[in-house]
Amino acid sequence: MTLWLNAGIIFTLLAIVVILVKWGNVKCIGVTPVRLFTFIAILFTSGLDVGLIMFPLTEFGGYANIAANPEYAFTNPIAIEFGYWGFLIWGFYFLTCFYFCVVEPKVKFFEIPLVKFINNVVIIGTCAFTAFLLLSNLPWYLPAIGDGESIIPTFYFVVFAAICFAVYSSTDIKYVRLLSISTTWLFIALIGFMWAGAFLGSDSQIAAFTHNLELIGSYFGNIEHFVLPLNEYHEFYLFWWFAWSIMIGQFTSRFVGGLRTYQVLGAMLIFPSIPIAVWFSVIYQYHEAGIPTTGLKNFAMAFVGIVFVINSLDSLIRLYTDNLNLTVKRFGRVKYIAMNVAMLSLLTLLFKLEFLQIQWVGALVIGLFFSCAFFMLYRKPKTVKNIDSSPEDNEIDFTKIDSGP
């Protein structure tokens, strides 16, 4: 699996270089172009999930324990955390976003029935894994409800309600867009709330916030260490990013609003990384200073984590139901909701029983990457060579770009 993962990473980085050389100045326009802020909000909230909120406080200690994990000795824990979530790995999303915006409309690899089926299996499976992550982390973030370790019926109900809300939201694209923007502002509010708890008050240590940001800078000085997996846990993260990459690229490509290819890359690497860096700098202080997060803080993080799950799920549900023509128009709202809620709930339980693994999904996506490249080289070389713009129909749609935020 490690060799397969390494091959996928190297292929992805080389593909990005090829794209920049051949199509670096192409204007990218999706079928539903939106303003830059809306695009970034959709990208950020769809491309991340509950793990961003819930994982770091449980991981900083492990990254700091270089006696048990000597592979982390080259930098500090917060830079490691950022390396697992920020900057370079957003290039995975850039590759697929550009492909679906500019290349796929003419190549149509994902219209091949078998490929289309596999792609949607990946999307549905990753939706369920997202719900499973929420289920498995709720005991730690809401210990007041249970014993802090066991998954009790209340947590199953919370996850079930999140799935129901996400399925309902997916019934109309305007809900998806509105929820993305709302979630972005909610996350900003959470950062502000947690920042005040860490850096204001009688033991104010505002300078520590700046220091934490400086520690993240070590990531850029050691970025080469994050290209290939450091250990099995890093492999898990990288497979996880691969699992998300095709579906997030396919979904976000709809909303690109006229940026040049190099600008899309810059936007996808930089803009999501800023709030991630700020968030990690805030919660790292809770870890370093031993500040408790019990009570309202835990509830606030859990609430935002749940909203992130809903936001991610509704985008992906919308994607696979459109791909498979399992739409509200075809089945009606009630049947649509019942079908998707039942399927995602069952698959979430399969992840809970460890019948499914996200690494398998990521490995399958890498296989799709290689298959797509082979298909273009041997079946569509002239078509690819002649691509020099987004589809013409999208150029017409661009004149109707939304007037919202």
Side-chain angles (χ1 to χ4, degrees), residues 68-143:
N69 304 289
E71 62 273 21
Y72 295 142
F74 68 92
T75 189
N76 58 79
I78 191 173
I80 296 287
E81 192 73 56
F82 183 80
Y84 281 20
W85 288 95
F87 198 71
L88 187 63
I89 46 181
W90 285 79
F92 291 12
Y93 291 171
F94 163 75
L95 173 63
T96 53
C97 179
F98 173 84
Y99 173 83
F100 281 103
C101 185
V102 178
V103 181
E104 170 63 15
K106 297 182 180 179
V107 171
K108 300 188 182 302
F109 172 74
F110 283 84
E111 293 300 316
I112 299 172
L114 178 59
V115 175
K116 190 172 186 177
F117 173 77
I118 294 174
N119 182 40
N120 286 287
V121 167
V122 167
I123 297 171
I124 296 169
T126 309
C127 282
F129 179 72
T130 300
F132 161 72
L133 280 181
L134 174 61
L135 178 65
S136 60
N137 280 279
L138 280 175
W140 195 88
Y141 272 81
L142 294 175

Side-chain angles (χ1 to χ4, degrees), residues 176-189:
V176 176
R177 188 181 304 175
L178 177 62
L179 187 59
S180 294
I181 297 172
S182 301
T183 304
T184 301
W185 286 114
L186 186 63
F187 181 58
I188 292 172

Side-chain angles (χ1 to χ4, degrees), residues 116 120 318-331 336 339:
K116 190 172 186 177
N120 286 287
R318 179 77 186 192
L319 181 59
Y320 75 71
T321 53
D322 283 351
N323 288 347
L324 297 173
N325 194 28
L326 305 175
T327 60
V328 174
K329 183 178 181 180
R330 180 182 176 189
F331 290 97
Y336 171 92
M339 173 180 61

Side-chain angles (χ1 to χ4, degrees), residues 75 133 152 165 178 197 259 299 316 335 384:
T75 189
L133 280 181
I152 60 176
F165 197 106
L178 177 62
L259 296 174
F299 177 81
L316 304 181
K335 289 183 178 179
V384 174

Side-chain angles (χ1 to χ4, degrees), residues 6 14 25 51 76 84 88 92 98-102 168 171 185 204 206 211 216 227 234 251 284 332 346 379 389:
N6 290 346
L14 290 176
N25 207 39
N76 58 79
Y84 281 20
L88 187 63
F92 291 12
F98 173 84
Y99 173 83
F100 281 103
C101 185
V102 178
Y168 181 82
T171 60
W185 286 114
S204 177
I206 296 179
H211 175 66
I216 289 178
V227 175
H234 193 200
F251 182 72
Y284 188 64
L346 176 60
R379 296 290 299 274
S389 67

Side-chain angles (χ1 to χ4, degrees), residues 69-375:
N69 304 289
E71 62 273 21
Y72 295 142
F74 68 92
T75 189
N76 58 79
I78 191 173
I80 296 287
E81 192 73 56
F82 183 80
Y84 281 20
W85 288 95
F87 198 71
L88 187 63
I89 46 181
W90 285 79
F92 291 12
Y93 291 171
F94 163 75
L95 173 63
T96 53
C97 179
F98 173 84
Y99 173 83
F100 281 103
C101 185
V102 178
V103 181
E104 170 63 15
K106 297 182 180 179
V107 171
K108 300 188 182 302
F109 172 74
F110 283 84
E111 293 300 316
I112 299 172
L114 178 59
V115 175
K116 190 172 186 177
F117 173 77
I118 294 174
N119 182 40
N120 286 287
V121 167
V122 167
I123 297 171
I124 296 169
T126 309
C127 282
F129 179 72
T130 300
F132 161 72
L133 280 181
L134 174 61
L135 178 65
S136 60
N137 280 279
L138 280 175
W140 195 88
Y141 272 81
L142 294 175
I145 295 179
D147 59 10
E149 296 180 1
S150 304
I151 298 176
I152 60 176
T154 302
F155 296 144
Y156 284 101
F157 175 78
V158 170
V159 175
F160 179 76
I163 291 173
C164 291
F165 197 106
V167 171
Y168 181 82
S169 176
S170 72
T171 60
D172 194 318
I173 195 67
K174 70 182 180 183
Y175 297 149
V176 176
R177 188 181 304 175
L178 177 62
L179 187 59
S180 294
I181 297 172
S182 301
T183 304
T184 301
W185 286 114
L186 186 63
F187 181 58
I188 292 172
L190 176 67
I191 292 175
F193 173 69
M194 298 296 289
W195 186 93
F199 300 107
L200 297 181
S202 57
D203 297 324
S204 177
Q205 298 184 26
I206 296 179
F209 174 68
T210 304
H211 175 66
N212 292 345
L213 284 173
E214 291 173 352
L215 290 176
I216 289 178
S218 177
Y219 161 80
F220 295 98
N222 295 279
I223 196 170
E224 71 279 2
H225 291 278
F226 296 94
V227 175
L228 298 179
L230 294 166
N231 52 25
E232 288 187 3
Y233 193 58
H234 193 200
E235 283 189 21
F236 160 76
Y237 263 100
L238 292 169
F239 274 123
W240 188 6
W241 280 90
F242 268 114
W244 278 76
S245 61
I246 289 181
M247 57 191 179
I248 295 301
Q250 190 174 359
F251 182 72
T252 57
S253 67
R254 301 176 176 188
F255 304 104
V256 184
L259 296 174
R260 304 285 180 180
T261 301
Y262 71 91
Q263 293 173 326
V264 175
L265 175 61
M268 297 183 85
L269 294 183
I270 296 171
F271 286 118
S273 296
I274 294 173
I276 291 173
V278 174
W279 170 242
F280 287 170
S281 297
V282 170
I283 58 173
Y284 188 64
Q285 186 64 18
Y286 283 84
H287 167 76
E288 282 290 277
I291 303 172
T293 60
T294 53
L296 184 59
K297 293 184 178 70
N298 267 351
F299 177 81
M301 286 190 289
F303 178 78
V304 175
I306 291 168
V307 174
F308 260 95
V309 169
I310 294 171
N311 200 108
S312 298
L313 288 180
D314 73 344
S315 304
L316 304 181
I317 294 167
R318 179 77 186 192
L319 181 59
Y320 75 71
T321 53
D322 283 351
N323 288 347
L324 297 173
N325 194 28
L326 305 175
T327 60
V328 174
K329 183 178 181 180
R330 180 182 176 189
F331 290 97
R333 191 181 296 268
V334 174
K335 289 183 178 179
Y336 171 92
I337 291 174
M339 173 180 61
N340 283 287
V341 168
M343 177 173 58
L344 291 177
S345 297
L346 176 60
L347 288 173
T348 300
L349 292 177
L350 291 179
F351 273 107
K352 173 67 172 61
L353 297 172
E354 298 185 354
F355 183 79
L356 297 173
Q357 298 287 333
I358 195 63
Q359 292 92 325
W360 304 346
V361 180
L364 190 58
V365 168
I366 293 173
L368 287 176
F369 276 28
F370 288 133
S371 299
C372 182
F374 180 84
F375 178 80

